[in-house]
Amino acid sequence: MKTPDFGHDARPAGEWLADAVLYQIYPQSFADSDGDGIGDFAGIEQRLDHLEWLGVNTVWLNPCFASPFRDAGYDVSDYFTVAPRYGTNDDLARLVDSARRRGIRVLLDLVAGHTSDEHPWFTASADDPTDHRYIWADAESRPADGFVPSPGTRPGWYLPNFFPSQPALNFGYARPHPDEPWRQPVDAEGPRANRRALREIMEHWLELGLAGFRVDMAASLVKDDPGHAESARLWSEMRDWLDKRHPHAALLSEWGDPAVSVPAGFHADFFLQFGAQDDGLKLRSLWNNNTGTVNENWEPLDPYFGAEGTGSLDTFLDGWRTATRAISAGGRGGFIALPTSNHDFSRLACGPRTAEQLPAAFVFQLTWPTLPAVYYGDEIGMRYVPGLPPHEGSVLGPRYNRAGSRTPMQWDSTAGAGFSTADPERLYLPIDPDPGRPTVAAQRQDPGSLLNLVRRLIALRASSPDLGTGGDVRMLHAGYPLVHVRGGRYLIVVNPRREPAHFALPEDIAGRLTAAEAVETSGVELRHGLVHAAGFAYAVVDLGRTDPSPAAR
């Protein structure tokens, strides 16, 4: 078995993840090495120096398996072969090795709940009524809404997992029923075969040196599963296997409910724009300003990180505390990941949110005791680009076009933004047409840029355990400005609104200001025990070592 050589840092996943700063790469939009207009593995490898310089140590790649790309690669036609648009399996192995030599782990995106309708498993199943790898209702049954007519000689219908071109793999139903024979129990042969296949797929890529997986739609495998009890049992089984075979490999979920998914066996789960009983309200209450990717079912809300200062942090804090307690009680440990955005959700720089608002958001994200996950380009303030045409299944609703968050990385000010030498019409997606678009090259040269601030914050987090996942939080003020103390040492002030905000510090903290040192600050003054924060201000202040106060969780 091949284990990536991280020297003295070859720790179990639950340990090294505690220090992780995640960076999500949408591979077709990151860097194009061969001029065909689509990003590839060689392009990512050529840009690893940027990631090393930035300080990220864990990269997650969106799906890169063979696919017809009706859903941008989330419709897999071969789990063991990468898509030719990105290169070869050997190219991926070289990328993983190059990243490892820079201290960067690479995770793949595992699409566990469905395949493409062009996968050989499905084309065979569509002609074989005895095959139960997928969920089939026969011609005599009356299937529920959502089933799709068989494309093969097999009569009946199949159940998709997302788009109709993505048939759901059969992991069984939590509640079988004799009147609906497609509701097979979770221990039927079809579901057992699919669990074996999942282990084989993970084994294959872990042997190649990958550091683990982010699992797509992880809660979707077992159907009609109240409380996700059977789904939790499935992933707990997978985690037990992984701990025995590959203890250094991490398992992250796209579940959106860490209180359930992490105790179920995942090392970490993301707060997402969906998931849990509140349909992703915890994340949306921070960033979502009702522009960019908008689900028509979402009630408009004012985000905490909004210039008007009419949002509330309470929804996020309540959800974070609940999930933290559930993870602690679950016994396995694990983490909540907080993303800046992702390939399915608006970037931070979206709609009315301006560049001057972004530093405060990053100060919060990179000093909070969650795993920070930076979506490619957010570190320079790339914006959600509105008005793009549908591309590879990007549109989910009348106001929900994911293409705007998937545009090419802006490396420099050349015609192709340093992403590609291809003609504009051949690019995977158009480059942001704004002539003032931010670039890595320009921000590298500017000490006051967002990029350099993000780099310094990542370095500070890496050197200061008090700012990491293990440091406690003492909440002093959860309004405007946000004021809290990490690990009894670092005073954090964030004012995301346009108007100034003020707060009187408690005496024990005010008394430590005489020996304090400002580590990162913009627009914040600390005088006579008072915090004066200008609009969009932030500060990280080192109060010096002392016995930490009890965590106010």
Side-chain angles (χ1 to χ4, degrees):
M1 184 189 309
K2 179 179 179 181
T3 300
D5 180 12
F6 278 86
H8 297 297
D9 198 24
R11 297 172 289 170
E15 294 183 16
W16 65 257
L17 262 180
D19 303 324
V21 175
L22 306 172
Y23 189 91
Q24 181 188 348
I25 290 178
Y26 194 67
Q28 47 264 64
S29 293
F30 194 66
D32 168 23
S33 70
D34 58 9
D36 66 355
I38 299 177
D40 47 47
F41 295 137
I44 297 172
E45 184 178 2
Q46 291 168 5
R47 295 295 187 175
L48 286 175
D49 287 346
H50 169 70
L51 303 182
E52 183 180 16
W53 174 86
L54 187 60
V56 300
N57 54 22
T58 307
V59 167
W60 153 41
L61 302 178
N62 283 92
C64 49
F65 307 113
S67 169
F69 290 98
R70 295 193 186 96
D71 186 19
Y74 282 94
D75 45 333
V76 176
S77 57
D78 183 350
Y79 285 106
F80 299 98
T81 305
V82 301
R85 62 163 54 170
Y86 304 128
T88 66
N89 285 22
D90 287 341
D91 292 329
L92 176 58
R94 279 192 293 273
L95 167 60
V96 170
D97 186 61
S98 294
R100 176 195 56 77
R101 286 187 271 108
R102 291 170 171 83
I104 299 171
R105 292 174 168 87
V106 179
L107 309 178
L108 291 185
D109 201 320
L110 178 62
V111 186
H114 57 265
T115 68
S116 164
D117 58 6
E118 296 183 17
H119 195 292
W121 292 346
F122 184 73
T123 57
S125 188
D127 289 330
D128 182 0
T130 68
D131 183 278
H132 297 291
R133 189 176 286 278
Y134 297 86
I135 299 172
W136 287 95
D138 60 35
E140 287 73 36
S141 302
R142 297 183 63 185
D145 291 342
F147 278 73
V148 177
S150 172
T153 60
R154 177 179 191 163
W157 300 264
Y158 69 89
L159 181 70
N161 211 36
F162 197 62
F163 290 142
S165 59
Q166 294 165 307
L169 287 163
N170 180 18
F171 289 92
Y173 279 75
R175 297 190 291 192
H177 194 284
D179 293 341
E180 298 179 340
W182 62 84
R183 287 175 167 262
Q184 295 188 349
V186 295
D187 59 353
E189 175 51 33
R192 290 204 308 271
N194 282 328
R195 290 199 298 271
R196 289 194 298 270
L198 269 187
R199 290 192 290 269
E200 291 168 4
I201 294 164
M202 288 193 283
E203 182 81 40
H204 174 81
W205 294 107
L206 293 172
E207 291 284 348
L208 195 69
L210 276 299
F213 304 91
R214 175 267 193 189
V215 180
D216 175 66
M217 294 180 63
S220 73
L221 274 63
V222 177
K223 305 303 183 186
D224 190 15
D225 186 13
H228 298 294
E230 288 296 340
S231 298
R233 273 190 276 274
L234 184 155
W235 288 113
S236 181
E237 172 189 314
M238 291 294 171
R239 172 67 181 274
D240 290 343
W241 168 81
L242 198 67
D243 284 348
K244 293 175 183 177
R245 292 283 298 166
H246 301 276
H248 310 298
L251 203 58
L252 282 63
S253 63
E254 185 200 36
W255 193 306
D257 194 0
V260 174
S261 57
V262 176
F266 285 95
H267 292 94
D269 185 20
F270 297 84
F271 279 155
L272 295 168
Q273 69 278 8
F274 68 91
Q277 294 182 349
D278 63 6
D279 194 22
L281 191 59
K282 291 178 282 295
L283 181 69
R284 290 187 284 114
S285 71
L286 292 179
W287 315 134
N288 186 52
N289 55 17
N290 203 39
T291 61
T293 53
V294 179
N295 187 323
E296 298 299 320
N297 294 323
W298 293 341
E299 290 190 14
L301 79 161
D302 295 328
Y304 180 72
F305 285 85
E308 301 307 316
T310 51
S312 171
L313 200 63
D314 291 345
T315 297
F316 171 81
L317 289 176
D318 290 346
W320 170 74
R321 290 179 179 124
T322 298
T324 299
R325 287 193 293 267
I327 290 170
S328 178
R332 288 186 186 265
F335 308 96
I336 305 163
L338 180 62
T340 56
S341 58
N342 60 55
H343 62 292
D344 288 333
F345 189 50
S346 303
R347 290 185 178 275
L348 285 179
C350 181
R353 187 173 291 123
T354 60
E356 63 183 335
Q357 295 176 250
L358 303 181
F362 269 102
V363 169
F364 170 76
Q365 192 232 12
L366 288 168
T367 62
W368 194 256
T370 42
L371 289 183
V374 178
Y375 185 49
Y376 83 96
D378 280 356
E379 72 270 27
I380 59 172
M382 278 179 60
R383 71 179 183 122
Y384 173 91
V385 180
L388 295 180
H391 189 59
E392 293 189 351
S394 64
V395 173
L396 300 183
R399 299 176 61 199
Y400 208 117
N401 186 355
R402 301 176 290 176
S405 292
R406 300 174 176 184
T407 55
M409 180 69 173
Q410 296 156 199
W411 296 103
D412 58 38
S413 59
T414 60
F419 163 70
S420 176
T421 59
D423 293 335
E425 63 273 9
R426 296 181 60 211
L427 297 180
Y428 177 75
L429 282 168
I431 294 168
D432 183 353
D434 186 345
R437 62 179 180 253
T439 69
V440 172
Q443 292 200 11
R444 281 280 295 258
Q445 302 303 313
D446 178 8
S449 68
L450 177 65
L451 176 61
N452 272 296
L453 172 65
V454 171
R455 183 185 186 229
R456 293 193 302 270
L457 288 169
I458 290 173
L460 178 63
R461 184 182 178 99
S463 65
S464 307
D466 296 296
L467 292 172
T469 54
D472 65 71
V473 179
R474 178 184 174 188
M475 185 60 67
L476 303 180
H477 189 238
Y480 294 95
L482 168 64
V483 185
H484 60 279
V485 177
R486 294 294 322 278
R489 177 176 180 179
Y490 288 97
L491 177 69
I492 312 296
V493 178
V494 174
N495 182 28
R497 75 182 188 185
R498 182 181 296 108
E499 296 300 318
H502 311 281
F503 177 70
L505 293 168
E507 290 185 5
D508 63 317
I509 300 299
R512 296 168 63 187
L513 292 180
T514 55
E517 177 184 359
V519 181
E520 290 289 345
T521 184
S522 175
V524 173
E525 294 184 10
L526 303 175
R527 300 192 309 268
H528 310 298
L530 297 176
V531 174
H532 301 274
F536 310 138
Y538 59 85
V540 180
V541 179
D542 188 347
L543 299 172
R545 283 288 182 189
T546 188
D547 293 332
S549 301
R553 293 180 184 242

